[in-house]
Amino acid sequence: MKIWMINHYATNQFFDKTGRHHALSKYLLNKNHDVKIFCANTIHNSDDFIDLKGDLFIEKTGADDTSYIFVKAKIYKGNGLSRIMNILSFYKNIIKTGCFFLKNREKPDVILASSVHPLTLVAGLKLAKRSNVPCICEIRDLWPETFLDFGFTKKNLIIKALYAMEKWIYKKADALIFTMEGGKDYIKEKHWEDSVDLSKVFYINNGVDLDVYYKNIRDNTYIDKDLENNETFKVIYTGSIRPANGVENIIKCARHIKQNEIEFLIFGDGSDKKRLEEYCFKNDISNVKFKGKVDKKFVPYILSKGDLSLLNYKQCKIDRFGTSQNKLFEYLASGRPVIANVHMGYDIIEKYQCGIAQEFNTDKEYADAILSIKKLPTDSYQRLCNNARQAAEDFDYKEWADRLEKIICQLG
């Protein structure tokens, strides 16, 4: 079966040799399907881009024999007007590229179009209609619902227009895949059941490619004296250090813990890093160490050397529909307990009993939760570790590829 996957931001996956659509493609290829990943030639959160040498697109073969088609999009910085132009140019050019393939190359058997932004879904639906094949719309972000957490109201005309587009997409799609488990709840809450057939709504969360993850642990050792120190209980955070990630909560939490009892190792970079480093210096917080940004291939090894991982975010109302943070599944695969300072709908940490997930009212509560994991008897701690590993197995992309194949076959 010929499968087209359209994801504006899959470009990074070509270089990282991992990620949602790369992993799904890899395992579908192993099942003798022909998969192509269409994405932008610009690289998200980077000044880099793939030089198309004046062409509309370029095709490259990535790791695991995955086929990538990089489509021309305007270079952008930040989240302002230039990013909007990037989105619009990708939308226009992915349709042009798709039409070129339909005319000169091949017709797919199914198209999977993946948000972040809804115009990718619109493009997928248009190309599917033109080629008379089913279109699966993959919902990884609930636009415009997310905007409500940032102060917009449902009365806003732009929000109303986006809701109308969203409903149209859901109605026209032959199948809907939500990465959060509460996708059907969202449709019901909007009272769209009369327009959107709930039987075509499926759930495939993000996950982890365990084969790659364990290989990285074996092959990509990260040398760091604090990481290798077996005398301390190591609490690890990996990811961006920006206001939205609320890493300051970790720093303030660390003040309530004796300096020699627990060590917080923070791997990542972002606009808040310098300010938080200065805060630690001024307040003599010596049990927090900023390790900087590391290549993704080292993250599995780093997490495997820790004793506890922190999933740190700001609580949002939209969390009631579930979670799909890539970071969580990497944490679970390390076989270490996880503490999240937010509680999600369909909470995975709670379901698998592999840590603590709750919104802490104070920094002291956060610190007490961390200490409670440290003070567990060995057998109780090991039970959390085993539960985390079991969760990772259930969210292995190999399993998700099987589920996606079944959905595609139902449409065929």
Side-chain angles (χ1 to χ4, degrees):
M1 189 171 287
K2 293 182 174 64
I3 303 165
W4 287 7
M5 295 182 177
I6 307 174
N7 174 4
H8 185 149
Y9 301 104
T11 321
N12 299 68
Q13 298 180 32
F14 174 82
F15 296 100
D16 295 337
K17 302 176 184 179
T18 187
R20 179 181 181 85
H21 294 102
H22 182 98
L24 291 172
S25 173
K26 178 178 79 171
Y27 289 115
L28 288 170
L29 285 168
N30 289 345
K31 294 168 174 286
N32 296 317
H33 297 290
D34 179 1
V35 186
K36 285 181 169 53
I37 300 174
F38 293 80
C39 55
N41 74 313
T42 49
I43 301 173
H44 188 50
N45 288 330
S46 170
D47 294 330
D48 293 333
F49 62 93
I50 294 171
D51 188 359
L52 303 183
K53 303 187 184 304
D55 292 330
L56 177 63
F57 66 88
I58 190 171
E59 188 168 2
K60 292 178 179 286
T61 301
D64 307 304
D65 294 323
T66 52
S67 178
Y68 283 83
I69 292 89
F70 301 100
V71 178
K72 184 178 180 180
K74 287 188 178 294
I75 296 172
Y76 72 99
K77 287 186 177 181
N79 291 311
L81 180 60
S82 66
R83 184 171 184 187
I84 294 174
M85 297 306 295
N86 172 268
I87 290 171
L88 291 173
S89 62
F90 177 76
Y91 168 72
K92 178 183 72 173
N93 289 331
I94 185 60
I95 291 177
K96 284 184 178 180
T97 301
C99 289
F100 175 87
F101 270 77
L102 291 175
K103 183 179 179 180
N104 300 287
R105 298 277 189 88
E106 64 179 22
K107 173 184 172 182
D109 295 299
V110 64
I111 293 175
L112 185 152
S114 180
S115 62
V116 177
H117 61 77
L119 285 182
T120 297
L121 306 180
V122 175
L125 287 166
K126 285 187 174 182
L127 288 170
K129 183 176 181 180
R130 186 162 298 193
S131 53
N132 194 30
V133 300
C135 181
I136 300 170
C137 286
E138 183 179 78
I139 313 302
R140 294 186 292 141
D141 288 276
L142 295 174
W143 302 105
E145 192 76 14
T146 303
F147 289 129
L148 301 185
D149 281 327
F150 295 97
F152 288 85
T153 69
K154 293 182 179 180
K155 295 181 180 179
N156 184 292
L157 291 178
I158 295 175
I159 298 298
K160 285 184 176 181
L162 287 171
Y163 273 127
M165 178 191 288
E166 181 185 33
K167 184 179 180 181
W168 179 85
I169 290 168
Y170 290 7
K171 181 179 178 180
K172 293 295 183 180
D174 294 283
L176 288 166
I177 293 175
F178 284 84
T179 59
M180 62 292 298
E181 195 168 355
K184 289 185 179 181
D185 294 341
Y186 178 71
I187 292 170
K188 291 175 182 177
E189 188 175 292
K190 290 287 174 286
H191 304 294
W192 291 348
E193 306 99 300
D194 291 341
S195 302
V196 181
D197 182 1
L198 293 180
S199 68
K200 70 177 185 181
V201 178
F202 301 92
Y203 165 59
I204 296 181
N205 209 317
N206 285 323
V208 59
D209 189 337
L210 288 179
D211 287 348
V212 173
Y213 191 94
Y214 295 141
K215 184 177 187 298
N216 279 329
I217 291 178
R218 295 191 304 270
D219 298 347
N220 295 298
T221 302
Y222 188 82
I223 304 302
D224 180 277
K225 64 177 183 179
D226 295 311
L227 204 59
E228 302 296 336
N229 185 357
N230 294 324
E231 301 301 317
T232 62
F233 186 87
K234 296 178 286 292
V235 178
I236 294 181
Y237 169 87
T238 63
S240 296
I241 307 175
R242 295 184 172 88
N245 302 99
V247 177
E248 186 170 354
N249 295 330
I250 299 174
I251 310 304
K252 291 180 176 179
C253 156
R255 296 182 68 178
H256 295 279
I257 294 174
K258 291 179 182 179
Q259 302 292 308
N260 62 350
E261 193 169 16
I262 290 176
E263 196 160 64
F264 294 80
L265 306 181
I266 297 178
F267 291 85
D269 201 358
S271 58
D272 255 9
K273 181 173 178 283
K274 184 177 180 180
R275 180 179 68 83
L276 294 178
E277 285 178 317
E278 291 174 352
Y279 181 90
C280 288
F281 179 76
K282 290 177 181 178
N283 292 278
D284 194 29
I285 304 173
S286 60
N287 59 341
V288 175
K289 297 186 178 179
F290 291 86
K291 297 296 183 177
K293 188 175 182 178
V294 297
D295 192 296
K296 285 187 177 182
K297 67 183 180 182
F298 295 116
V299 170
Y301 179 84
I302 289 168
L303 293 173
S304 74
K305 300 298 289 186
D307 299 292
L308 174 66
S309 302
L310 295 184
L311 191 68
N312 197 84
Y313 287 96
K314 290 185 177 180
Q315 188 82 54
C316 296
K317 292 179 181 178
I318 202 170
D319 295 340
R320 65 191 183 277
F321 299 111
T323 180
S324 56
Q325 299 103 325
N326 288 310
K327 188 189 307 183
L328 171 60
F329 305 109
E330 289 186 328
Y331 284 0
L332 296 173
S334 73
R336 300 294 184 270
V338 181
I339 288 184
N341 69 332
V342 293
H343 185 269
M344 308 280 188
Y346 298 93
D347 200 284
I348 293 168
I349 297 171
E350 184 177 76
K351 177 181 178 180
Y352 284 91
Q353 297 182 2
C354 56
I356 297 171
Q358 70 178 75
E359 186 176 6
F360 301 110
N361 295 315
T362 66
D363 304 323
K364 180 69 164 54
E365 280 188 14
Y366 200 172
D368 287 343
I370 292 171
L371 287 169
S372 72
I373 299 292
K374 182 183 183 297
K375 294 174 181 177
L376 283 174
T378 301
D379 59 340
S380 298
Y381 174 81
Q382 194 58 50
R383 192 176 303 117
L384 295 180
C385 295
N386 294 339
N387 290 346
R389 290 191 187 93
Q390 179 58 57
E393 290 178 12
D394 289 350
F395 288 91
D396 187 351
Y397 274 122
K398 191 181 297 182
E399 300 298 321
W400 286 142
D402 289 343
R403 183 175 294 191
L404 177 58
E405 183 184 42
K406 289 177 183 176
I407 294 169
I408 291 171
C409 290
Q410 286 180 33
L411 297 175

